[in-house]
Amino acid sequence: MRILVVDDSRVARNIVKNMLKSMYHVEDGFVEASNGEEAWSALQASSVDLVLLDWNMALLNGIDLLRRLRREDRFKALPVIMVTSEAAKYNVIEAVKAGANDYLIKPLTEKNLYEKVRKYFVQEGL
Amino acid sequence: MAVRYIEPFIAATVAVFHELFQVTAEVQKPYLVKPGDPHNWDVSAIIGLAGDARGAVVLSFTDSFAYELTASLADTSASPPPDLVTDTIGEVVNIVAGNAKKGLEQYRLVISLPSIVKGKNHVIAWPTKGIPIIGVPFKTSIEPFHLSVGLENIVTYE
């Protein structure tokens, strides 16, 4: 399992990574990106099994990266969980329409993160 | 700005400090802020609000409290570098603004990326002039901090 964590906040990326490391053995580790363009480049360079994606970022935001991913055949089935402070229902609906598999609202709790990512680890047999 | 529009920001602030830092933030008496008034905060994190209403939400801290909050999230006991402190308080105001949108769903709001202003008696450049700015002091067991919200109604569906 290799996880791409996309967030413009280093603190936020560390929170996600530390929570996941305390729950699972993330065998193949993490790839990090601080905006959508970096994430797009990272996805060209290496294969990942799950993307945790913030919404508000410079250069290319999370929702636009998600739309770009879903236009590409090779990324259509890539699991993407939005991890964002955007808590309004219309944001959740927009993300789901754009192709998000799941939606987590910051601040994260270990329980919420565990429940959302569990099925992807189960699919990987981990 | 009707006073009730401050409530989602207060609730979000209390929740974020509890969830992220395990700190109880006690709300003190809100008041009307006069822009340009002197204050004792060292650093402020600002998020602009646009869409159906324009304005901003600002969280202000002393340097020592901003460092302490950052250190509580850091992996190391070493003093956090300044860029990590900026990152942390930017993320905090981002979460407060994003969470407050849930209580303001009658407006379709877009939040900006956070920006940081530092320095003794720094001045906040509010995006709209003449709007009332509500200040909310908070008390914690560590140090106080301050929330300010100015929100101008552009469109209402009520």
Side-chain angles (χ1 to χ4, degrees), chain B residues 144-155:
Chain B
F145 66 96
H146 191 271
L147 166 74
S148 315
V149 180
L151 194 61
E152 175 189 58
N153 301 342
I154 306 292
V155 176

Side-chain angles (χ1 to χ4, degrees), chain B residues 3-17 25-30 57 96 100 134-138 145 147 149:
Chain B
V3 171
R4 69 179 185 280
Y5 295 134
I6 193 78
E7 288 166 3
F9 294 94
I10 293 173
T13 302
V14 170
V16 168
F17 271 76
E26 292 177 45
V27 185
Q28 308 299 293
K29 191 174 164 49
V57 53
V96 167
I134 307 291
V136 186
F138 281 86
F145 66 96
L147 166 74
V149 180

Side-chain angles (χ1 to χ4, degrees), chain A:
Chain A
M1 188 82 165
R2 191 170 172 83
I3 299 174
L4 172 60
V5 182
V6 190
D7 199 303
D8 58 350
S9 163
R10 178 152 60 109
V11 166
R13 294 197 303 272
N14 286 343
I15 288 171
V16 169
K17 287 191 301 175
N18 289 340
M19 280 187 180
L20 281 172
K21 280 192 266 189
S22 74
M23 297 171 206
Y24 298 102
H25 175 54
V26 184
E27 201 169 79
D28 299 311
F30 298 94
V31 182
E32 292 183 51
S34 64
N35 61 61
E37 289 294 356
E38 271 185 22
W40 179 255
S41 298
L43 286 164
Q44 314 307 312
S46 64
S47 152
V48 303
D49 305 294
L50 174 65
V51 180
L52 301 177
L53 181 60
D54 187 21
W55 188 307
N56 294 306
M57 295 177 289
L59 298 181
L60 180 67
N61 68 33
I63 204 78
D64 288 339
L65 172 66
L66 180 56
R67 291 190 181 109
R68 188 192 280 188
L69 291 174
R70 295 313 187 217
R71 285 196 296 268
E72 297 272 332
D73 283 344
R74 63 197 159 129
F75 296 129
K76 275 194 163 63
L78 176 64
V80 176
I81 302 175
M82 296 299 294
V83 180
T84 172
S85 68
E86 295 281 8
K89 276 184 200 153
Y90 54 78
N91 290 125
V92 181
I93 292 166
E94 188 179 350
V96 170
K97 282 183 177 170
N101 298 80
D102 261 310
Y103 199 96
L104 272 169
I105 295 168
K106 295 176 184 176
L108 289 181
T109 64
E110 289 200 357
K111 182 174 178 288
N112 290 345
L113 183 62
Y114 175 80
E115 285 172 359
K116 293 291 184 187
V117 301
R118 184 175 51 178
K119 62 184 164 193
Y120 303 104
F121 279 86
V122 169
Q123 283 165 11
E124 289 284 318
L126 299 172

